[in-house]
Amino acid sequence: MRILKTYLRSTSIQCYLCLLLHCHFLTEAGIHVFILGSISAGLPKTEAKWEFVIKDLEKIDKIIQSIHIDTTLYTESDAHPGCKVTAMNCFLLELRVVLLEFSHANLLNETIHNIIIQANSNLSSNANITETGCKECEELEEKNIKEFFQSFLHIVQIFHNS
């Protein structure tokens, strides 16, 4: 399982100190810039890593070709851009259904766990977004698992490209 790492910004405190000493920022404003810059150097990056989800979805496409999975899942096949977070949450809920129904498929489950972890991590920056007028998961059309993953890949690519 891929280990999620928190990356720190490469900005170093020494750069801010050098800037402070070589420039004439020895004022109250310069000290504030230095302090805020120093704090921001330690903050974690919130850079989305959707390419990992895309790779795992491509891996799943190969896995489901080799095993027989006869199930239908609620699938958002034409999500409005204003409903992409809602659509992604529906896909993630349906992935949990796949985990429950196909617990014997270890490689599939491991890859799905990776997708859920990565997608939730990437969605954390959209946690406070409220989308209105979007379909509830149960209102979506049920499609076979291959179509489900193709539509899921499409939604992930929307997030990746934005």
Side-chain angles (χ1 to χ4, degrees), residues 12-23 26 34 38:
S12 67
I13 294 174
Q14 290 85 5
C15 290
Y16 288 109
L17 184 58
C18 183
L19 176 71
L20 184 66
L21 293 175
H22 290 322
C23 295
L26 293 175
F34 174 73
S38 299

Side-chain angles (χ1 to χ4, degrees), residues 63-129:
I63 293 169
I64 62 174
Q65 289 176 12
S66 65
I67 58 176
H68 177 69
I69 299 178
D70 185 28
T71 190
T72 58
L73 301 160
Y74 294 119
T75 304
E76 177 62 85
S77 54
D78 191 30
H80 183 275
C83 293
K84 68 181 186 180
V85 174
T86 302
M88 179 61 72
N89 286 324
C90 289
F91 278 112
L92 294 174
L93 286 172
E94 288 298 280
L95 282 180
R96 293 182 191 282
V97 170
V98 174
L99 284 175
L100 291 173
E101 290 185 11
F102 301 97
S103 58
H104 62 279
N106 291 337
L107 185 56
L108 179 66
N109 288 342
E110 181 182 321
T111 308
I112 288 175
H113 278 295
N114 284 342
I115 289 172
I116 291 171
I117 290 168
Q118 283 289 339
N120 280 325
S121 173
N122 294 338
L123 281 177
S124 65
S125 62
N126 296 314
N128 296 329
I129 293 177

